[in-house]
Amino acid sequence: MPYMQRVVLGFCGGAMLLGLPWPGDVRLPLLLTLGCALGLGLLLLVARPARSAVSAGGLGLLIGLGSSACAHEAAFRARLDGAGADAVTLLVRILTVPERSLAPGQVPAARFQVRVIEQPGLRADISGGAVIRLTWYAAPDVRRGELWRLHARVKGPWSFANPGGFDYERWLLGKGIHGTGWVRDGERLAGAAPDALERLRQRVADAIRRLQPTHAGILLALLLGRADTMDDALWETLRTTGTVHLMVISGLHVSLATALGFAVGGLLCRLCPLLPLWLDARRAGCAVGALVAAAYIALAGAGLPALRALVMGLAVLLLLAGGRRCQPGGLLCLALLLVLAYEPLAVHQQGFWLSFAAVGLLLLTLARHGRSGPVMVALRTQLVLSVGMLPGLALLTGTVPWTGIAANALAVPMMSLAVVPMVLLAGILLLAAPTPAGFLIGVVDCVLSALVSWLEWLAALPQPVVVATGSALLVAQAAALWWLLGAPRQHWPVLLLCLAAPLTPRTTGVAHGEYRVTALDVGQGTAVLVDTQYHRLLYDAGPAFPSGFETGSAVVIPGLGATGPLALSALVLSHDDVDHVGGAAAVRAALAPSVVVQGMPGDSADTAPSVGVGCHGRSWTWDGVNFRFLDVVRGPRATDNDRSCVLLVDDGRRHALLAGDVSARIEGRLLRPLAEIAPLALMFAPHHGSNSSSSTALVRVARPRLVFVSAGRGNRFGHPHPDVVSRYRRLGARIYQTGVDGALVWRSSAPAAVLRWRRDRAPYWRASPPAER
């Protein structure tokens, strides 16, 4: 292998190392930068890198790691600080086309990115040049390139910190976004003069809308990159069937545009009798292919997968024009080098890993089976992508779209052979020859109707939720790669067992007679998981928000899958407030728990609860652990909060109390049963630490050793109240807050230890919580 190729491989490996979840705080990249600079200097002095394979790879590794670390350090320095409770006035430039959605209540919302412009009057901790992602409800007509003065609430990157689930902080880092916020109102200072390209995009969009196709949103997404034109129902169908990648601009579409341009250029050269005298068909095809691909990228917006495909396509065309050959692996490595050099933070984007992995698998398949017939190659390619990408897809996204194999088996060839080529050809003809372009769009619309009907049928099938995490996925991925590399047939049974490793039943990891409590970080709300050896109980399911986002599917279900089997023995809905039951519908739809207990009056029974019964006064035993809902007299005019289920869990020695949102009035009726078992090993502060709860009498009688507060960071209610915190601390209790410490894990077998997900399990890109209180 040539020396420079080893350096390039080392550079790519070093740059990609920071995409792994290394533990540590945000200063880790700076330390890596210094270490790499020192190591690079020593290598140049003593290793004499010329012609040495090890030193060449090491040199590239240090350069890649150092440059990536510098980019990460710059991104961390540009992050906004604070919890974001302050209102600020910002002078900004709109960077992106607003993504508009219709929130419940018919309030339109727009989400867009802005760049802060440095000027006097801006708050000192918001530096000029910072990129902020803003949401504006009932927003006026906001366009890219405009200058606005906005009154907004902004904060640094911060999200839920839980086992499993989407890592929003990492997504923001990968996109180069330094903060988020909400706009209250604003004033347009200067409109954006549309350039020639923007005017062309608008003319193409208007021409498509005039034709009134049924699937205008998909056509605009494929041709102009306008993914916001597709409705929410279609997006949900695409997500369910794993076909989102076919409807947004990706490497597949750019490759097809390049191939179409190459074919058209060669055909024009052959049809013109004078051109072959100085330009042959191959060079003409390469030139036209490069122009078509570049124009398509400019028209549709250059995303990372599209840029990667453009780099590879241009390299291939350049080699073809010069009559040279190059190994496909070299082209992939070149594209990887350019992408990492241009955007080192891309290692935090799921699309980066998935797109390069998919291309690598395709090249591997074509290298081993490229001489087969076209039908066999297509079938084998689909099989390779389905099997080879499934473990990695599950590892990155956390879920497995089981209908994706059937959906992509039909959707990929239809999009590749029919839809995308005709859309591209129609786009070329749309303004110059509208009649044939309209015919092509009509044909495409019919094909899309059939395809969407197929996808909707698949999406309507029962979808078992599978949350895949852990080492089993790594075993499955290694087995898939071994199979793709040509493992002997006698090893296939073992490989099949390895591929099925993620499907093996999981356990809670809790011994008989013990229990574990996990308070999930759901912001200002409650979702608590209680595990015994074979049973799982969920106490509340977190909040839902006006934007349509709910924590049931985003936090609770991934948290269940990351900590044990994806099943519920009981779902307890303490009372009807949205911050407690907002995610319940998603949990019930996905897991269909047979036992649902609600905060309503019910008859006492010494058996496990049944569907839809009230909780008060019921008790049962699971795996040597006792569960009891305290029966407290509540008047007919009791508030919804005071009707909360009060759950007491114990293993005979250590007790944990979950009291929902009961007020001091109800707490007074809990004193007698709590006095018999005090001190409590663990107690959840009632009503998120509100001053209307956690009365002095309750705190003195319960005497909890540990107190968990399910409350969001910087919430508008001021939970937990300082007086409440003081009451608990005066008795020596240690207090933890989910919104600050992340998910909290406590075991009855180790009552003094608490695992804090943000502080103890944080990758280096996660924002640091405030100092210990």
Side-chain angles (χ1 to χ4, degrees), residues 161-178:
N162 293 290
F166 180 67
D167 194 338
Y168 185 57
E169 290 180 53
R170 185 179 192 183
W171 183 86
L172 292 174
L173 177 62
K175 294 291 185 180
I177 299 173
H178 307 126

Side-chain angles (χ1 to χ4, degrees), residues 628-714:
R628 177 161 61 108
F629 288 109
L630 299 184
D631 192 7
V632 182
V633 178
R634 295 165 171 85
R637 295 186 179 181
T639 64
D640 189 54
N641 283 349
D642 282 346
R643 292 183 179 273
S644 296
C645 301
V646 180
L647 177 63
L648 186 66
V649 186
D650 73 274
D651 59 0
R653 296 171 299 165
R654 299 176 180 91
H655 297 74
L657 179 70
L658 293 85
D661 283 356
V662 297
S663 66
R665 179 185 308 171
I666 301 300
E667 289 176 355
R669 302 168 187 173
L670 299 175
L671 300 181
R672 179 173 296 178
L674 293 182
E676 299 174 358
I677 58 175
L680 297 179
L682 171 65
M683 175 177 171
F684 280 78
H687 201 183
H688 317 286
S690 167
N691 199 29
S692 62
S693 304
S694 296
S695 61
T696 303
L698 176 71
V699 174
R700 288 179 176 176
V701 170
R703 290 177 290 140
R705 304 287 176 79
L706 300 173
V707 177
F708 287 179
V709 181
S710 294
R713 179 194 185 199

Side-chain angles (χ1 to χ4, degrees), residues 570-625:
L571 171 62
V572 178
L573 304 178
S574 65
H575 61 296
D576 289 337
D577 285 357
V578 71
D579 58 331
H580 293 253
V581 300
V587 172
R588 297 181 70 170
L591 303 180
S594 58
V595 175
V596 179
V597 187
Q598 301 174 355
M600 62 181 69
D603 297 330
S604 297
D606 292 329
T607 59
S610 58
V611 177
V613 301
C615 60
H616 308 304
R618 297 187 174 270
S619 62
W620 70 97
T621 300
W622 280 339
D623 309 320
V625 178

Side-chain angles (χ1 to χ4, degrees), residues 197 263 274 302 477 693:
L197 181 59
L274 297 180
Q477 187 64 71
S693 304

Side-chain angles (χ1 to χ4, degrees), residues 51-140:
R51 308 295 176 257
S52 171
V54 175
S55 59
L59 178 63
L61 180 73
L62 292 175
I63 295 175
L65 187 58
S67 63
S68 181
C70 290
H72 280 75
E73 178 64 18
F76 290 139
R77 288 181 179 275
R79 277 181 167 180
L80 304 188
D81 296 325
D86 297 333
V88 297
T89 299
L90 302 175
L91 183 66
V92 301
R93 178 80 64 182
I94 309 298
L95 293 181
T96 60
V97 176
E99 301 175 4
R100 297 188 177 271
S101 61
L102 197 62
Q106 305 300 314
V107 179
R111 292 178 178 83
F112 51 90
Q113 296 176 25
V114 302
R115 186 178 299 279
V116 178
I117 299 175
E118 186 72 39
Q119 73 163 31
L122 291 184
R123 216 171 58 177
D125 61 344
I126 303 179
S127 60
V131 177
I132 306 177
R133 188 174 190 249
L134 296 174
T135 301
W136 194 348
Y137 292 98

Side-chain angles (χ1 to χ4, degrees), residues 452-474:
V452 170
S453 298
W454 164 249
L455 297 179
E456 289 175 345
W457 181 81
L458 288 175
L461 296 176
Q463 300 288 332
V465 178
V466 177
V467 179
T469 56
S471 58
L473 282 174
L474 298 178

